[in-house]
Amino acid sequence: MNQQEMKELTGTGAVDALVKSGMKLGLGTGSTAIHVTRRIGSLVAAGKLSGIRAFATSFQTILECEKWGIPLYSLNAPELGGKLDLCIDGADEIDTENRLVKGGGGALLMEKIAAYASAAYAVVADETKLVEHLGLAFPVPVEVIPEARLPVRSELEKLGAEVILREAVRKAGPVITEHGNLLLDIRFKDKIDPVRLEAELNHIPGVVENGFFTRIRPTVFIGHAEGTLEIRR
Ligand code: 5RP
């Protein structure tokens, strides 16, 4: 299987294993998570799934839900009441303890709010996302209030991070998140403690959120190139 096929395998497999009628669902962002939304949409359209109430973590996901007629709500709407039964999302890195780096698509803020508001959490990924240690290869995004760009940058450098302001593609200048902020992508040379860093980064004034997801351990659905779907709890 190529990577696209692995992404579809895992997105579809997770929905078939976990999603039931009547659930309050958090829907993630990215090229793997979109297969989750598509599968749910096709089951709703075929009348095989009903009563779904969804919260979308980005415009990308909102647009996909609109295509399929999946009912969307604010997390604060009475229909959701600030809580989800299940959130399914993609990831950029997954370590051996199912801790994650996320935010390659820049949607980390809503993705973390949804994940941490959910009774159950599942991640869909192809095998290329598995790593021994987080934060050494794929950059970890830190969402920052624009005015705090330089002070935050110097605090991150003090922690030993290499820092890059994320640049937009097909727009001049930096990426502006869906919440009007900037993204500083950080990478470390030596092994780090992701649990400690997830908390520590958010203590820097001006940091809104960071891409370490360590406080909720997901069930991970991994698509393999030989066409198998591994479920790691
Ligand atoms: C977006 C994310 C994505 O879930 C993550 O980047 C994985 O994306 P893809 O499935 O396209 O590789 O965190 O903010």
Side-chain angles (χ1 to χ4, degrees), residues 18-38:
L18 301 176
V19 176
K20 308 269 180 286
S21 288
M23 275 186 159
K24 299 195 279 182
L25 292 176
L27 298 177
T29 297
S31 59
T32 317
I34 201 151
H35 291 290
V36 170
T37 303
R38 279 187 194 143

Side-chain angles (χ1 to χ4, degrees), residues 7 29-33 89-92 102-108 111 129 138:
K7 287 177 187 215
T29 297
S31 59
T32 317
D89 203 350
D92 299 304
K102 287 185 46 54
L108 63 151
E111 291 176 331
K129 306 295 181 68
F138 195 91

Side-chain angles (χ1 to χ4, degrees), residues 159-187:
L159 292 172
E162 178 201 340
V163 186
I164 295 173
L165 175 66
R166 195 181 297 185
E167 293 288 333
V169 178
R170 303 192 66 208
K171 174 231 169 225
V175 166
I176 310 293
T177 70
E178 291 176 15
H179 308 281
N181 298 316
L182 302 174
L183 293 171
L184 296 176
D185 285 322
I186 64 173
R187 210 186 330 234

Side-chain angles (χ1 to χ4, degrees), residues 100-103 108 112 140-143 201 209-213:
L100 315 171
V101 165
K102 287 185 46 54
L108 63 151
K112 194 177 283 191
V140 184
V142 179
E143 184 159 349
L201 293 174
E209 195 45 85
N210 69 81
F212 287 113
F213 284 54

Side-chain angles (χ1 to χ4, degrees), residues 1-7 9 127 223-228:
M1 273 189 171
N2 62 33
Q3 199 179 16
Q4 276 314 315
E5 290 166 332
M6 288 189 264
K7 287 177 187 215
L9 172 74
E127 62 184 13
H224 288 285
E226 69 269 21
T228 54

Side-chain angles (χ1 to χ4, degrees), residues 72-179:
L72 280 178
Y73 298 91
S74 154
L75 203 49
N76 302 312
E79 287 84 353
L80 297 184
K83 289 191 186 128
L84 300 166
D85 298 312
L86 170 68
C87 178
I88 312 181
D89 203 350
D92 299 304
E93 287 190 336
I94 305 163
D95 77 3
T96 51
E97 295 179 48
N98 286 3
R99 300 176 300 192
L100 315 171
V101 165
K102 287 185 46 54
L108 63 151
L109 178 56
M110 281 303 159
E111 291 176 331
K112 194 177 283 191
I113 291 169
Y116 287 6
S118 192
Y121 188 38
V123 158
V124 290
D126 63 81
E127 62 184 13
T128 65
K129 306 295 181 68
L130 301 175
V131 298
E132 198 75 26
H133 301 293
L134 300 177
L136 302 181
F138 195 91
V140 184
V142 179
E143 184 159 349
V144 173
I145 301 281
E147 195 56 33
R149 174 172 53 92
L150 287 187
V152 172
R153 182 184 193 110
S154 70
E155 290 302 313
L156 295 171
E157 284 169 350
K158 277 188 214 158
L159 292 172
E162 178 201 340
V163 186
I164 295 173
L165 175 66
R166 195 181 297 185
E167 293 288 333
V169 178
R170 303 192 66 208
K171 174 231 169 225
V175 166
I176 310 293
T177 70
E178 291 176 15
H179 308 281

